[in-house]
Amino acid sequence: MYNQKSEELVDLLVSRTTTNDRHFFRTMSAFYMGLLASMMRASLITYDRGKIPINCYALCLGPSGLGKNFALNTLEEVIVDPFRSRFLNEVAPNQSRISMARVAVEIAQRTGEDPDEVHERVVAEYNEAGEFVFTYDSATSAALRQLRKKLILSSAGSLNLVIDEVGSNLSGSEEVLTDYLSLYDKGLLKQKIIKNTKESKRGIDIEGTTPANLLLFGTPSKLLDGAITESSFFELLETGYGRRLF
């Protein structure tokens, strides 16, 4: 028995693409439904691992002509865009203000500093991290950690990586895919230490979880090429992606 709302999305994609590969569209629809839930920081209470954020890692492969990009664009226009607009313009700014005030008080209580001065530092670090990025198709490890810290300060949003034509882009994504191995389940990622100088401050060290979602899609012939790309892909499966990917 499939989820009714999910199947309605699948019906829409089948109708628009005139392709009856329902399994492919179910996986893609599930990814975006999971993405929206994780952006709002929905979570699950488990018996063995406690509270964990909702996340979704998915691999969608299909031959040319299946309508992969058309289906992706349809989901983003019909489902994601209205949510994205309200989240970026209303939810994230309001939630960030509340969260940063709370973080500043917690730090001040721990260090004995003036709460107002700490709040100024927290806001400055939040602003220095740049704008919210809803989805992205590539990232460096440093950029991912910077965005993750902004999301921790915000207590809202998730890290959403969507890689098109994964076969062609796999070799250039190994760094960020390695980080995504750690982000799975509880959204934890160890910080990299840099030398603290006047020009390069280490910043505020804040513990927290950030949900992460990953969508890899493209043509199977590019990924499973019988050569180095396929070998690299199977190495990723062996190091942990085999149990992570739908």
Side-chain angles (χ1 to χ4, degrees), residues 125 145-153 202-204:
E125 185 145 347
R145 282 169 166 77
Q146 186 180 50
L147 178 58
R148 181 175 179 271
K149 177 170 280 191
K150 187 179 186 76
L151 298 186
I152 291 175
L153 291 172
R202 229 181 258 139
I204 301 170

Side-chain angles (χ1 to χ4, degrees), residues 55-241:
N55 58 10
C56 183
Y57 285 27
L59 172 67
C60 290
L61 299 178
S64 179
L66 182 68
K68 298 183 296 297
N69 289 97
F70 187 51
L72 186 75
N73 293 336
T74 298
L75 283 169
E76 292 194 343
E77 290 169 5
V78 174
I79 305 300
V80 176
D81 278 353
F83 175 92
R84 186 204 319 262
S85 177
R86 186 168 183 185
F87 179 86
L88 294 178
N89 294 320
E90 299 177 32
V91 176
N94 291 334
Q95 180 62 28
S96 296
R97 282 192 290 271
I98 296 170
S99 178
M100 286 189 288
R102 174 185 55 79
V103 169
V105 169
E106 290 175 355
I107 294 175
Q109 289 176 340
R110 187 173 69 246
T111 63
E113 298 175 83
D114 181 80
D116 291 335
E117 293 180 1
V118 176
H119 186 261
E120 288 181 8
R121 293 209 320 269
V122 170
V123 172
E125 185 145 347
Y126 173 87
N127 292 331
E128 288 170 2
E131 296 294 323
F132 258 97
V133 181
F134 199 88
T135 59
Y136 43 92
D137 60 10
S138 62
T140 64
S141 183
L144 185 69
R145 282 169 166 77
Q146 186 180 50
L147 178 58
R148 181 175 179 271
K149 177 170 280 191
K150 187 179 186 76
L151 298 186
I152 291 175
L153 291 172
S154 303
S155 295
S158 56
L159 299 163
N160 308 313
L161 176 61
V162 179
I163 301 180
D164 189 3
E165 282 304 343
V166 59
S168 300
N169 295 309
L170 186 65
S171 62
S173 305
E174 290 178 353
E175 182 183 40
V176 69
L177 288 176
T178 299
D179 285 336
Y180 262 72
L181 282 170
S182 301
L183 286 168
Y184 190 76
D185 276 348
K186 290 202 170 185
L188 300 174
L189 189 63
K190 297 293 185 183
Q191 291 293 329
K192 289 186 177 180
I193 294 194
I194 61 171
K195 183 179 180 180
N196 193 55
T197 66
K198 290 182 179 179
E199 295 77 21
S200 179
K201 296 290 184 181
R202 229 181 258 139
I204 301 170
D205 184 21
I206 304 172
E207 293 185 357
T209 62
T210 45
N213 301 291
L214 171 68
L215 176 62
L216 309 172
F217 72 106
T219 56
S221 59
K222 288 284 188 180
L223 182 63
L224 307 174
D225 61 352
I228 188 169
T229 301
E230 181 175 340
S231 176
S232 298
F233 173 63
F234 275 90
E235 285 180 10
L236 285 174
L237 294 181
E238 290 173 4
T239 55
Y241 276 104

